[in-house]
Amino acid sequence: MKFTDILSKEKWEEFEKALFDRFHINCTVYDNSGQGITGKPRWCNRLCPEIKANKDSLAAICATGNQHFMAQAKQTCKAVIDECDAGLTKIAVPIFVDGEFLGTAGGCGLLPAGGEVQAFLLEKTMGLSETQILELCEGLGTMTQDEAEKMAAYIEKRTAQFVDDYLRMDL
């Protein structure tokens, strides 16, 4: 089973956009191999697209973080809210259908309230100066733990509705 059995790729893209519009955070639905299913990122900051455009920082920060969050969400069957190695909020909500783990839906890219970007790690993995990193971080939004929990709950509710609708159609 895959996500497009439940909703079309276009409907998942609409869901990602709705999440972005509502929570102002980078939102992606990832399949169980860690690949984004729509390939249509919307960026809430200038830093994240630069991290993802650099193969070293992509591998060191985004890919490993996504694998870790996905494994934890799959194992616990619960939403995972924490920071990525860059110091930004990351949310991963697991999606299961009849016990089968399909992947996660969530977001990343806002600074936790009171948190700070891990500039040294970014400098080393991206090959940029501290000044360049700080410029990319200008205007970086924040997200409180309460806001992250509300986002996770919203994603859980909506994806459960998608799965329930799919299972009812399959009767």
Side-chain angles (χ1 to χ4, degrees):
M1 169 166 277
K2 51 192 188 252
F3 278 110
T4 52
D5 293 333
I6 297 169
L7 294 175
S8 68
K9 184 177 173 181
E10 294 76 21
K11 290 290 184 187
W12 284 114
E13 185 179 331
E14 288 175 19
F15 177 60
E16 289 176 347
K17 182 182 181 319
L19 289 174
F20 177 83
D21 291 344
R22 184 177 184 131
F23 297 102
H24 312 291
I25 191 169
N26 310 330
C27 298
T28 306
V29 177
Y30 292 101
D31 67 20
N32 59 13
S33 69
Q35 296 296 309
I37 65 169
T38 70
K40 303 276 186 174
R42 287 173 184 79
W43 304 111
C44 66
N45 64 48
R46 296 181 318 143
L47 179 62
C48 289
E50 294 298 324
I51 293 172
K52 288 201 175 216
N54 179 297
K55 66 179 175 64
D56 293 333
S57 56
L58 173 64
I61 297 168
C62 299
T64 56
N66 195 40
Q67 289 172 355
H68 170 73
F69 277 69
M70 184 172 282
Q72 190 175 350
K74 180 181 179 182
Q75 180 184 15
T76 64
C77 301
K78 295 181 181 178
V80 179
I81 301 169
D82 208 341
E83 293 178 24
C84 72
D85 287 340
L88 303 175
T89 297
K90 181 161 179 64
I91 300 162
V93 177
I95 301 171
F96 290 88
V97 176
D98 289 336
E100 180 182 351
F101 178 70
L102 294 188
T104 61
C108 60
L110 294 176
L111 198 58
E116 63 182 56
V117 170
Q118 299 301 312
F120 181 75
L121 174 67
L122 292 170
E123 289 174 46
K124 296 301 174 200
T125 61
M126 296 174 74
L128 299 176
S129 71
E130 180 180 7
T131 302
Q132 290 170 309
I133 298 296
L134 293 175
E135 286 174 3
L136 290 172
C137 292
E138 285 178 14
L140 192 60
T142 61
M143 178 176 261
T144 66
Q145 182 68 25
D146 185 55
E147 291 168 330
E149 290 170 4
K150 286 179 181 172
M151 180 178 173
Y154 179 81
I155 293 171
E156 287 172 349
K157 179 180 175 183
R158 292 292 292 138
T159 57
Q161 289 172 335
F162 299 152
V163 170
D164 287 347
D165 290 348
Y166 165 76
L167 291 173
R168 270 187 257 139
M169 283 188 333
D170 203 36
L171 294 175

